[in-house]
Amino acid sequence: MFYTANLKGNLALLPRLFTLIQQQRDDALVFLLDLGDTCSLDAWVCRTTQGRAPLLVLDSMGYDAAIIGGPEAVSIPVSSLRQLVDTIMMPIIIWGRVVRLAKRGVSFNIASGEAVLPEGEPGVLIDRSTQALPARNAPFPTLGDVPQGQLARVELSWPEWTVLDARIVELSAEIQPDPTIGAIVELVEAEAHHYAQQRGER
């Protein structure tokens, strides 16, 4: 399992982050999650697209789910969220709910905020008040916050659902941007500029 957080509308980071993710992948099954703070009021692309732009790019990067509505100060309006859900394949998980993810015969629950995981089923807890990595052999691994530009990697056994290893992988300056994701970022930003012009924004 890989997870990120705190993108804060920094789309320029994503082509290099995708390269890092691809470098870290192996033959094992990987779930890729974003824990939130994808947008910031300081990022024009977030203001213009009402929070949709970063999530569109994450979807193109193959993320399996993204969480919104957590501790971050920037929320996505309901109308914008509906438009986003109709556009992307990646599930959007609302903070404080339990959602089940499945891929290639492996399934587990995700719970954030005050939500409670079902007993007797594999699951992970999201706690963004800490940056601690999941503890080994915890019954329900807890995924903590991740600084921008870092990738958390957690190796889990199946079906035991035991944490084998957990570590942070840094996005070094030597990592080159992926050209396909770079082109998608350019397209999303161009559409955002066009949308802003239509609305008379600068």
Side-chain angles (χ1 to χ4, degrees), residues 14 16 35 45-46 57 60 72-74 76-77 81 93 159 164 169 177 191 197 202:
L14 295 181
R16 294 176 55 241
L35 306 189
V45 74
C46 290
V57 182
S60 70
E72 65 262 32
V74 183
I76 300 179
L81 179 59
I93 300 175
L164 303 175
V169 184
E191 288 294 319
Q197 290 172 353
R202 295 184 177 180

Side-chain angles (χ1 to χ4, degrees), residues 42-125:
D42 296 331
W44 73 270
V45 74
C46 290
R47 294 193 305 272
T48 298
T49 65
Q50 296 183 312
R52 294 189 304 273
L55 294 163
L56 287 167
V57 182
L58 293 185
D59 184 52
S60 70
M61 293 169 64
Y63 272 70
D64 293 292
I67 298 173
I68 64 170
E72 65 262 32
V74 183
S75 61
I76 300 179
V78 173
S79 60
S80 183
L81 179 59
R82 287 177 181 152
Q83 184 178 348
L84 179 68
V85 169
D86 290 340
T87 306
I88 65 177
M89 296 180 62
M90 171 185 71
I92 300 296
I93 300 175
I94 306 299
W95 184 266
R97 299 183 183 175
V98 178
V99 175
R100 191 171 188 83
L101 288 184
K103 183 196 277 189
R104 287 166 42 190
V106 175
S107 63
F108 66 98
N109 297 298
I110 297 176
S112 57
E114 301 299 319
V116 179
L117 287 167
E119 292 186 15
E121 298 181 14
V124 296
L125 299 166

Side-chain angles (χ1 to χ4, degrees), residues 123-147:
V124 296
L125 299 166
I126 310 298
D127 180 5
R128 296 195 54 209
S129 68
T130 177
Q131 290 188 4
L133 289 166
R136 289 176 182 259
N137 302 317
F140 293 113
T142 298
L143 312 184
D145 205 29
V146 186

Side-chain angles (χ1 to χ4, degrees), residues 4-24:
T4 56
N6 293 296
L7 174 60
K8 299 186 184 298
N10 185 2
L11 301 192
L13 184 74
L14 295 181
R16 294 176 55 241
L17 179 61
F18 184 74
T19 298
L20 176 63
I21 291 168
Q22 294 300 94
Q23 289 176 352
Q24 290 294 312

